[in-house]
């Protein structure tokens, strides 16, 4: 079905995000496969998809807010600010971070104060120029032959375009496409691999979606780079099998990718740039107005995070260790792995639990308080597990729909998926404890589901505000004991509240108590509860884990 042409307004921004997300979903594997610079870790397409998914979700939230309030739809400024902010907070990897800055640059022009915004076509020209310039400024050491070159070419190409938004968008797309074809001649690693720049390829997809939004016609992005006669060459097969890229000079680069959001002022960020530039490479710092997204490749991940702490308040910290097979660290290509038969993918609320699940063989997705994972993130975890059969553990009732959507997407890719409706990480632990990959898939799923269902769960947390609960009115700062999702106890002391919760749970019987301590849990609470179980409940065992920054102070499971 043809897209209805849109004027440059809030609805166009919404449509652009949706079309770009769908197009990146289709091109994701192709873009991942040609990802050889700056790190051959095969995730550029995925990172771009997740970044745009966050931008699209932010735009949808703005529309939903206006509709709930009974107001008219948002303005263009509202929509582009939301798009840029969503991309900033959801940016993944080097490519996603740069794309976030490109969108922010566009928003700076299109969301300017009323009376200063130029006519639509001229505004789009200026927005594309500002996007390219701001992205280049955000990169510590710009390199030609990358997405930066493609963005600059797109901005250059619109100079002589007609005064029509569709014509401007099409000129930008054609300029970007030509520049993308030239990237192998600008960057030796691309020429050796016989591919174009992956980030630039992603930007061409995003600009094609803009053309379709504003003209109603898709510009006809060619197929994958392995297709004969493709305007930017083939050779993708050699990239996938790891036979094309020469080892980097010098034998390898930094071993970790560090990304975090940072609340800091401009002066502190300027100092941070200098500090991180001395620690590693691929440094990109984007954002402004007190909120920044920091991306860098380093050998000392702790030092990169400490630099952020000195500059302001870092959060949503992600540290990725480049695999031993990545060209960036070992100078070798990545051989194609054979899929394993079965894997478990679990959402976990803290770093400590993530380690526990990983030791048990699960692939994990970290969900920090107030930051639930998106469906695209879960789909990527399924792909990372590289299995024919996957068991999904959401470990949160609110994630049921998100995980179900991820499961449907994975099934379209040929993976057999089962979703076990775990509502807490302790139920996931119980399910994982009985997981046996050697069993038939259906039998394994039934056993895991049964173990999770036989585990009651509770958590102890601190109330953030006054509210009504099943146990009465709580005040901000009260300690809440929640059993199976409902507030059952309101107290003032963590240990006393936890003991009351545990007694109520064990009143119905139990054989095993699981305690998962958050970073804010008192040191004595585990010893106190273990002693309580030994003294009052015969033949009941207790196991204690450290969950890290998991949100609730304490998680309790009773099997």
């Amino acid at each position: 079905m043809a897209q209805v042409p849109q004027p440059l307004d809030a609805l166009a921004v919404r449509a652009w995000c949706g079309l770009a997300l769908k197009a990146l979903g289709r091109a994701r594997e192709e873009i991942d496969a040609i990802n050889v610079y700056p790190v051959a870790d095969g995730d550029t397409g995925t990172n771009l998809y997740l970044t745009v998914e966050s931008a699209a979700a932010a735009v949808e939230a703005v529309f939903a807010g206006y509709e709930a309030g009974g107001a008219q739809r948002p303005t263009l400024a509202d929509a582009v600010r939301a798009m840029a902010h969503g991309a900033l907070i959801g940016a993944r990897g080097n490519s996603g971070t740069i794309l976030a800055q490109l969108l922010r640059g566009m928003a700076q022009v299109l969301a300017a104060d009323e009376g200063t915004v130029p006519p639509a076509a001229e505004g789009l020209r200026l927005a594309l120029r500002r996007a390219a310039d701001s992205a280049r400024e955000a990169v510590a050491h710009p390199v030609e032959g990358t997405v930066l070159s493609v963005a600059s070419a797109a901005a250059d190409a619109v100079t002589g375009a007609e005064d029509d938004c569709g014509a401007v968008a099409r000129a930008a797309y054609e300029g970007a496409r030509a520049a993308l074809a030239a990237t192998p001649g600008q960057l030796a690693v691309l020429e050796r691999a016989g591919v174009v720049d992956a980030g630039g390829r992603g930007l061409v997809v995003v600009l094609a979606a803009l053309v379709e939004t504003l003209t109603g016609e898709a510009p006809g992005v060619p197929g994958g780079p392995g297709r004969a006669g493709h305007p930017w060459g083939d050779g993708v097969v050699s990239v996938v099998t790891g036979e094309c890229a020469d080892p980097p000079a010098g034998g390898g680069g930094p071993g970790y990718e560090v990304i975090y959001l940072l609340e800091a002022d401009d002066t502190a960020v300027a100092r941070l740039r200098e500090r991180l530039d001395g620690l590693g490479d691929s440094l990109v710092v984007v954002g402004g107005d007190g909120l920044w997204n920091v991306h860098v490749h380093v050998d000392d991940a702790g030092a990169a995070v400490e630099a952020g702490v000195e500059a302001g308040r870092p959060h949503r910290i992600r540290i990725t260790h480049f695999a031993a097979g990545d060209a960036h660290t070992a100078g070798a290509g990545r051989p194609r792995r054979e899929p394993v038969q079965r894997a478990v993918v679990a959402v976990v609320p803290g770093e400590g639990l993530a380690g526990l699940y990983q030791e048990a063989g699960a692939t994990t997705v970290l969900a920090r308080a107030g930051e639930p994972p998106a469906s695209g993130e879960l789909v990527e975890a399924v792909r990372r597990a590289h299995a024919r059969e996957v068991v999904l553990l959401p470990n949160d009732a609110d994630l049921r729909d998100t995980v179900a959507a991820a499961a449907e997407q994975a099934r379209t890719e040929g993976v057999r998926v089962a979703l076990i409706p775990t509502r807490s990480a302790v139920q996931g632990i119980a399910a994982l404890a009985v997981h046996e990959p050697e069993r038939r898939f259906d039998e394994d799923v039934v056993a895991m589901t049964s173990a999770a269902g036989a585990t009651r769960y509770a958590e102890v947390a601190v109330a953030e505000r006054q509210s009504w609960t099943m146990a009465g009115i709580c005040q901000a700062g009260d300690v809440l004991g929640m059993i199976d999702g409902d507030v059952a106890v309101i107290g003032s002391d963590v240990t006393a509240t936890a003991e009351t919760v545990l007694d109520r749970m064990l009143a119905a019987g139990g054989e095993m108590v699981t305690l998962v301590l958050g970073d804010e849990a008192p040191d004595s609470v585990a010893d106190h509860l273990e002693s309580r179980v030994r003294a009052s409940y015969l033949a009941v065992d207790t196991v204690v884990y450290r969950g890290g920054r998991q949100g609730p102070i304490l998680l309790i499971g009773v099997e």
Side-chain angles (χ1 to χ4, degrees):
M1 182 179 294
Q3 168 72 20
V4 177
Q6 294 277 359
L8 187 55
D9 59 7
L11 287 175
V13 174
R14 187 187 205 180
W16 181 27
C17 287
L19 289 170
L21 188 62
K22 290 179 182 177
L24 285 170
R26 293 191 296 269
R28 182 195 60 78
E29 290 186 356
E30 171 211 320
I31 297 172
D32 281 347
I34 63 172
N35 173 202
V36 298
Y37 183 86
V39 182
D41 51 355
D43 64 358
T44 291
T46 299
N47 287 336
L48 289 169
Y49 178 89
L50 293 173
T51 302
V52 173
E53 182 180 51
S54 181
V59 172
E60 290 299 327
V62 166
F63 271 86
Y66 271 78
E67 290 167 3
Q72 294 181 341
R73 66 174 182 242
T75 64
L76 172 62
D78 293 328
V80 295
R81 286 194 192 105
M83 175 182 66
H85 181 73
L88 177 67
I89 64 174
R92 298 300 185 92
N94 191 72
S95 53
T97 309
I98 293 174
L99 178 61
Q101 187 68 1
L102 288 167
L103 297 179
R104 177 179 171 80
M106 294 187 71
Q108 287 174 333
V109 173
L110 298 177
D113 293 337
E114 189 174 354
T116 64
V117 179
E122 181 61 19
L124 186 55
R125 284 194 190 93
L126 295 174
L128 290 165
R129 178 80 270 161
R130 179 60 189 142
D133 292 345
S134 62
R136 192 170 287 269
E137 291 165 4
V139 177
H141 302 285
V143 175
E144 298 306 324
T146 66
V147 64
L148 298 177
S149 303
V150 176
S152 293
D156 293 341
V158 303
T159 302
E162 299 176 13
D163 276 341
D164 172 78
C165 285
V168 171
R170 190 175 293 278
Y173 164 75
E174 294 295 346
R177 185 177 168 191
L180 179 64
T183 56
Q186 296 174 288
L187 202 54
V189 66
L190 300 179
E191 186 174 25
R192 288 195 299 268
V195 297
V196 296
D197 178 65
R201 175 73 178 97
L203 180 58
V204 169
V205 171
V206 173
L207 289 174
L210 180 62
V211 174
E212 185 174 0
T213 299
L214 297 176
T215 68
E217 299 177 358
V221 180
R227 180 175 294 182
H230 193 282
W232 42 74
D234 58 13
V236 70
V237 174
S238 61
V239 174
V240 172
T241 57
E243 298 167 356
C244 61
D246 295 335
Y256 295 91
E257 177 184 61
V258 179
I259 304 175
Y260 50 80
L261 290 179
L262 178 70
E263 295 176 15
D265 59 36
D266 292 2
T267 303
V269 169
R271 292 194 299 268
L272 175 66
R273 288 178 190 269
E274 294 181 7
R275 173 86 180 275
L276 293 179
D277 196 24
L279 288 175
D281 60 27
S282 297
L283 173 61
V284 185
V285 181
V286 305
D289 302 320
L291 182 64
W292 309 80
N293 192 305
V294 179
H295 170 280
V296 67
H297 295 168
V298 294
D299 278 323
D300 189 345
V305 175
E306 288 171 8
V309 173
E310 292 175 5
R313 190 177 80 86
H315 52 107
R316 294 189 74 166
I317 301 168
R318 298 187 184 94
I319 299 174
T320 303
H321 181 241
F322 294 124
D326 288 344
H328 194 55
T329 56
R334 292 172 291 112
R336 184 189 296 272
R337 287 193 296 142
E338 284 299 317
V340 298
Q341 183 61 32
R342 190 174 309 156
V344 176
V345 173
V347 180
V348 291
E351 293 87 346
L353 276 179
L356 173 66
Y357 273 74
Q358 288 162 7
E359 287 175 8
T363 298
T364 60
V365 177
L366 195 61
R368 296 183 177 87
E371 300 173 7
S375 61
E377 195 171 352
L378 294 168
V379 172
E380 172 54 25
V382 172
R383 293 169 182 146
R384 197 167 68 244
H386 202 54
R388 298 181 181 90
E389 301 168 339
V390 171
V391 179
L392 285 173
L393 303 176
N395 293 339
D396 186 337
D398 292 337
L399 288 178
R400 179 75 183 276
D401 292 341
T402 301
V403 178
E408 285 302 316
Q409 175 60 37
R411 290 183 185 113
T412 66
E413 299 177 9
V415 181
R416 188 180 184 188
V417 182
L419 168 60
I420 297 178
T422 50
R423 301 199 291 171
S424 171
V426 291
Q427 288 188 322
I429 292 173
L432 200 55
V434 301
H435 168 55
E436 291 186 14
E438 295 77 18
R439 275 194 297 230
R440 289 178 51 214
F441 185 64
D442 291 340
E443 292 175 355
D444 198 28
V445 170
V446 168
M448 295 176 73
T449 302
S450 178
T455 302
R456 299 190 70 196
Y457 66 95
E459 63 182 56
V460 177
V462 176
E464 296 181 355
R465 64 184 67 86
Q466 183 188 61
S467 60
W468 289 88
T469 75
M470 296 288 289
I473 300 175
C474 72
Q475 305 295 328
D478 282 348
V479 180
L480 305 181
M482 289 166 279
I483 300 176
D484 294 338
D486 292 324
V487 176
V489 181
I490 300 174
S492 57
D493 178 76
V494 171
T495 302
T497 302
E499 181 179 327
T500 302
V501 168
L502 186 56
D503 284 342
R504 292 193 185 185
M505 296 177 76
L506 286 172
E511 298 176 358
M512 170 72 75
V513 172
T514 301
L515 304 175
V516 183
L517 305 178
D519 282 345
E520 298 180 0
D523 294 336
S524 61
V525 66
D527 290 340
H528 180 86
L529 295 178
E530 284 186 288
S531 297
R532 175 67 176 171
V533 171
R534 282 196 303 269
S536 304
Y537 304 97
L538 298 178
V540 177
D541 295 324
T542 305
V543 60
V544 179
Y545 300 112
R546 294 283 174 179
R549 293 174 294 177
Q550 64 183 24
I553 295 173
L554 175 68
L555 298 175
I556 304 173
V558 174
E559 299 177 45

